Amino acid sequence: MAESRRAANKIKCRTKILKASRRLFKANGFENTMIEDVAAKAEVSKATLYNYFPNKESLLVGTAEDETEVFFTYVEKELANEDADSKIRKALVFLVSDSIPFIGVSRRILYLNSCKTSPLYKKGEPVRQLFLQMIRQAQQEEIFRQEVEAEDILDLFMGVYLNSQFQWERMESYSKERCEEKINHILDLALTGIYR
């Protein structure tokens, strides 16, 4: 009983620290946020924060891991009964719209995901693999053409995602509905030769 309560308290403390760090990174930027600021915002001691996260970059790792878990849960539970095409589109809309409140943090995580020297290197790979799985399902269901390489289709979807994160102007003002509309329009244009 005490062990399960202790585990629950650890999860709660970790979550509180990550929420505080995201808010501060959004308000002040990553570079201008100090570990002391995060500890104060989370209402924990600096030593407690260091027990969970040894440096600022590890806060980004924790955020990336949590967001990946949220994304997988959404796809598994909310999109379970969708056809493959709808599932992919809704998953992409979720991924984009979920990043809007913390677009600066999201951009930094995505950039570091491509840096071989970063602890965030390839942290996005599980998300890519899930999209690849959904694309292959769409091919099996004969929604997408089977003679087109699944990895090439994945590149299209990831291209739309990365473009949204780094190129959409004033993205922080987008609603989920605006994201969905824009993503579906782009996908309709890009996937013309992919559909059966």
Side-chain angles (χ1 to χ4, degrees):
M1 181 75 160
E3 190 64 36
S4 64
R5 191 171 342 133
R6 190 175 341 210
N9 285 338
K10 283 185 173 189
I11 291 169
K12 187 176 177 182
C13 185
R14 182 182 185 278
T15 300
K16 191 162 76 165
I17 291 168
L18 287 174
K19 282 183 180 179
S21 70
R22 280 194 294 262
R23 287 187 189 119
L24 288 169
F25 293 157
K26 179 182 179 182
N28 306 330
F30 180 80
E31 298 300 331
N32 296 325
T33 299
M34 302 297 137
I35 287 286
E36 296 83 5
D37 302 332
V38 176
K41 182 86 171 168
E43 299 176 339
V44 298
S45 71
K46 203 164 127 182
T48 298
L49 189 144
Y50 279 124
N51 282 335
Y52 291 89
F53 302 100
N55 53 45
K56 278 200 310 186
E57 201 164 67
S58 66
L59 290 165
L60 293 177
V61 172
T63 297
E65 291 168 349
D66 282 5
E67 288 302 310
T68 298
E69 187 176 317
V70 166
F71 176 70
F72 271 74
T73 301
Y74 172 76
V75 171
E76 182 183 306
K77 292 187 176 176
E78 301 298 321
L79 303 180
N81 298 320
E82 300 283 339
D83 67 63
D85 181 43
S86 179
K87 182 184 278 190
I88 294 168
R89 286 173 179 259
K90 288 181 178 182
L92 187 58
V93 168
F94 180 86
L95 206 56
V96 172
S97 60
D98 192 49
S99 68
I100 291 173
F102 303 100
I103 189 63
V105 175
S106 179
R107 287 176 178 153
R108 181 172 285 273
I109 288 170
L110 285 170
Y111 170 73
L112 291 171
N113 180 65
S114 66
C115 298
K116 289 183 178 179
T117 58
S118 170
L120 280 156
Y121 181 62
K122 292 210 174 204
K123 283 288 184 184
E125 193 57 29
V127 171
R128 284 180 49 84
Q129 290 304 312
L130 180 58
F131 271 100
L132 188 58
Q133 179 185 340
M134 291 186 286
I135 289 164
R136 288 186 173 134
Q137 180 186 352
Q139 288 177 313
Q140 289 171 356
E141 293 175 11
E142 296 187 354
I143 296 169
F144 292 167
R145 290 173 37 204
Q146 293 178 350
E147 63 272 17
V148 177
E149 290 291 329
E151 289 80 5
D152 291 341
I153 300 171
L154 175 64
D155 285 345
L156 284 172
F157 282 100
M158 292 298 99
V160 171
Y161 174 58
L162 291 172
N163 188 57
S164 75
Q165 299 299 287
F166 291 101
Q167 298 297 318
W168 288 5
E169 291 184 21
R170 298 180 305 281
M171 184 183 180
E172 59 281 350
S173 68
Y174 279 34
S175 66
K176 182 177 180 187
E177 293 74 25
R178 174 68 178 127
C179 285
E180 186 169 11
E181 177 186 303
K182 189 164 183 168
I183 287 169
N184 282 318
H185 175 69
I186 293 167
L187 291 177
D188 288 344
L189 293 171
L191 298 176
T192 301
I194 304 298
Y195 287 108
R196 278 205 137 316

